[in-house]
Amino acid sequence: MFYRRLISFAAVLALALTATAASFAAGSTNPTDKRNTKSVQVSEPLNLAILVQDDLISQVGNELGVTRDFIRSLPAGSRVMVGYITTGTLQVRQPFTSDLDKAARSLRIPRSSTSASAYNPYVEVIEALRSFNADWKGKNAILLISDGLDTSRGFDVTSSGHTLDLERAIKQANDRDVAVYSFYAPSVGLTSRSRLAASYGQNSLNRLADDTGGKAFFQGTTGFVTFDAYFERLRQTLNERYAKAS
């Protein structure tokens, strides 16, 4: 039994590291390289829910400016919702609105405290999915800024990328035709202290994105980089997806 568990642990760890390496290659850019690509903009209106995990490290607060810029740069006809995943609830700061400046101004600095830990970001993803209206025109998407780690049922090697609520979030996103994109950032909890926890969280974010038609963005399991390169890649990815759908 011991050796069977050891083999299972090694297999899941290898899968998590493989997913991390793949997404690193796909989403990685030099964070100090501004690339002079400010002309790249999302080409089609978007119904976008931005969800921020409230216990992410304090450096995430420095990314409010670039996140606001992204919201304001969306094309006319877009709708944006802003919510925070905190202590097991979804705090909606701004319901869906076509006033992009109002949505941008609703962003706040994350609390960066374990008292705001969500334990499970995927329940709140499911809650946010209910806010999408089937009659709306345009593409539907969620941008989940999270460490991706689900500890609601313990921290178990067998649950990496396969928790019950992650499976439910994937199913409901597909039922509602909502693609989920994710930016990884460590929380003040496990993922800022444990590479294994970070790899589990990234594995789950990667699975959520892949299985809903979105994309996960992260760079390694330690440290933190700015969101500038992430947003540039997100714009490109959205435009490529529109091109394929047209």
Side-chain angles (χ1 to χ4, degrees):
M1 181 63 71
F2 171 77
Y3 290 108
R4 187 176 302 168
R5 289 180 178 175
L6 183 61
I7 292 170
S8 174
F9 174 84
V12 174
L13 178 59
L15 177 63
L17 293 175
T18 299
T20 297
S23 286
F24 175 82
S28 174
T29 56
N30 182 348
T32 62
D33 179 9
K34 299 304 181 182
R35 295 165 53 123
N36 295 319
T37 54
K38 295 299 183 181
S39 60
V40 177
Q41 301 296 334
V42 177
S43 59
E44 299 290 338
L46 187 66
N47 305 310
L48 177 67
I50 297 178
L51 309 181
V52 183
Q53 190 171 311
D54 218 2
D55 65 337
L56 299 180
I57 59 174
S58 60
Q59 290 92 320
V60 173
N62 298 330
E63 306 307 306
L64 289 184
V66 69
T67 306
R68 289 183 178 121
D69 289 344
F70 173 77
I71 293 173
R72 292 180 176 122
S73 74
L74 292 172
S78 295
R79 297 181 182 87
V80 174
M81 165 184 162
V82 174
Y84 284 76
I85 297 171
T86 180
T87 57
T89 61
L90 178 64
Q91 180 192 76
V92 177
R93 293 271 295 178
Q94 175 58 58
F96 273 108
T97 179
S98 57
D99 186 337
L100 301 182
D101 183 65
K102 183 178 180 182
R105 286 186 283 108
S106 72
L107 286 167
R108 64 163 171 79
I109 295 174
R111 294 178 183 172
S112 302
S113 169
T114 55
S115 65
S117 293
Y119 305 109
N120 183 349
Y122 304 108
V123 170
E124 281 66 51
V125 169
I126 293 169
E127 185 175 345
L129 285 166
R130 301 189 184 107
S131 299
F132 286 85
N133 190 321
D135 295 331
W136 287 342
K137 295 181 179 179
K139 302 296 182 181
N140 300 318
I142 286 176
L143 173 58
L144 175 62
I145 303 175
S146 169
D147 70 352
L149 187 64
D150 180 352
T151 60
S152 61
R153 293 173 177 84
F155 185 49
D156 190 324
V157 62
T158 61
S159 68
S160 175
H162 296 282
T163 65
L164 175 64
D165 292 316
L166 173 59
E167 301 287 353
R168 291 174 57 220
I170 290 170
K171 182 181 185 304
Q172 294 198 28
N174 286 329
D175 288 346
R176 295 173 183 270
D177 194 25
V178 180
V180 183
Y181 299 84
S182 64
F183 290 178
Y184 170 81
S187 72
V188 294
L190 277 174
T191 49
S192 63
R193 302 191 301 268
S194 166
R195 290 189 180 188
L196 187 59
S199 70
Y200 284 3
Q202 290 177 355
N203 192 32
S204 294
L205 292 175
N206 203 50
R207 169 106 195 282
L208 177 64
D210 280 352
D211 287 8
T212 60
K215 191 176 183 67
F217 300 90
F218 47 86
Q219 295 183 350
T221 56
T222 60
F224 179 76
V225 296
T226 69
F227 288 161
D228 295 80
Y230 290 176
F231 276 118
E232 199 57 48
R233 288 286 294 142
L234 177 59
R235 290 183 178 98
Q236 294 170 2
T237 301
L238 289 168
N239 288 340
E240 289 167 3
R241 188 167 187 262
Y242 293 147
K244 291 178 182 177
S246 60

